[in-house]
Amino acid sequence: MKEASAVGVASGKVILLGEHSVVYGEPAIAAAIDRQLEVTVRPRSGGNPYGAIGNRQRLAIARAAQRFGIEPETLMVEVRSEIPMGCGLGSSAAFSLALIRALSLFSRKPLLDGEVASRAAEIENVFHGTASGVDLAAAVQGGVIWFERFSAAPIVELLPPEPLDLVIALSGKPRGTFGPVSRLRDRYERFPKLYGRMFRLTGDVVRSARIALAAGDLELLGSLMNAAHGLLNALGVSTPTIDRMVRLARSAGAVGAKLTGAGGGGAVIALAPRGAEAVVSALAEEGFESFVTRLSVREPKGSQ
Ligand code: PMV
């Protein structure tokens, strides 16, 4: 027997440092954000099955439904999102996770946490090709995480001593993950030693940032975010608009600012412990929407 309707919810994410190099096995630091996406699944009673949903989402729904032994045509699926879509803030991972959670409830087939994550990863790949898994890891785990895709324990919860306020600014230029990731792979395959060195250097920046974060040294963390942005520029994934936003944020007092996610548009993050609102105002004056998010520090479960 099936539920009349079922709802799955998942959070968006932000990558603090380590995007792109994380695909090649280097670490990344990421966090869930307090913006959520909700998927509602109910039996179809005529009409358009999916409302205003794109082709990739249809494909993802069909694949996910089949995994639960459900004919996709029998479903009505609605998506409501507080996460800006296509900005590198984890909307695809949140959609995949919320969809699996909703279908599990709808079909009354409970899954273990690991099964939810692996099914959601399969669905996320409909959007991203082969994603590193960092977006999904942040959404599944919550809080602030350390992620290393090829490690025996890929996700480690980080416990910053204080909550961290981060400005997230939208460039207004939507982008996909697949394009920037595959173009960078082409460059890497052409010059593996050079690009491999840049990935490892980024990994060193991320490892240093973990130390700065654990010590609550936000000035140092900001400097390392700036270094990471410089490396992302060297990797060729920033844009003039993103660079302008980064400069605006730093001029308004941010100790660190960088692109977040795949680049080629999308979003910028800025750390401004002495005045996030000044950064928001400076960006707004130039027409860029931004908001402040407090990265949740979860209750300690053990030592870091
Ligand atoms: O989807 P985005 O923009 O958050 O990018 C994901 C991060 C990348 O490192 C660029 C890709 C990946 O799979 O990790």
Side-chain angles (χ1 to χ4, degrees), residues 2 8 16 18 28 43 52 89-90 93 105 109 123 133 146 151-152 183 199 228 246 248 252 258 262 275 290 296:
K2 288 174 186 163
L16 270 75
L89 297 178
L105 283 172
K109 290 184 179 159
I123 300 309
W146 175 262
S151 160
R183 284 192 291 277
F199 294 142
V246 163
L248 281 168
K258 64 180 280 292
S290 64
S296 59

Side-chain angles (χ1 to χ4, degrees), residues 34-57:
D34 56 2
R35 297 224 165 179
Q36 296 194 313
L37 181 146
E38 191 180 281
V39 171
T40 306
V41 176
R42 57 172 65 89
R44 186 177 171 196
S45 52
N48 180 354
Y50 303 138
I53 278 182
N55 284 343
R56 294 253 169 202
Q57 285 185 332

Side-chain angles (χ1 to χ4, degrees), residues 174-265:
R175 31 69 332 134
T177 304
F178 188 79
V181 170
S182 66
R183 284 192 291 277
L184 180 55
R185 180 166 294 280
D186 290 346
R187 294 194 283 280
Y188 168 69
E189 282 172 0
R190 185 83 175 77
F191 296 113
K193 272 195 186 154
L194 175 65
Y195 282 87
R197 243 182 260 151
M198 290 200 261
F199 294 142
R200 283 194 297 282
L201 193 50
T202 307
D204 288 341
V205 172
V206 179
R207 280 180 274 274
S208 305
R210 181 176 181 174
I211 295 168
L213 187 64
D217 189 339
L218 300 189
E219 297 274 339
L220 187 56
L221 180 62
S223 304
L224 293 162
M225 287 169 62
N226 292 336
H229 184 72
L231 285 161
L232 288 164
N233 241 315
L235 291 171
V237 295
S238 191
T239 67
T241 304
I242 291 286
D243 288 344
R244 191 168 142 232
M245 294 167 74
V246 163
R247 279 199 304 276
L248 281 168
R250 290 180 193 160
S251 302
V255 294
K258 64 180 280 292
L259 76 77
T260 185

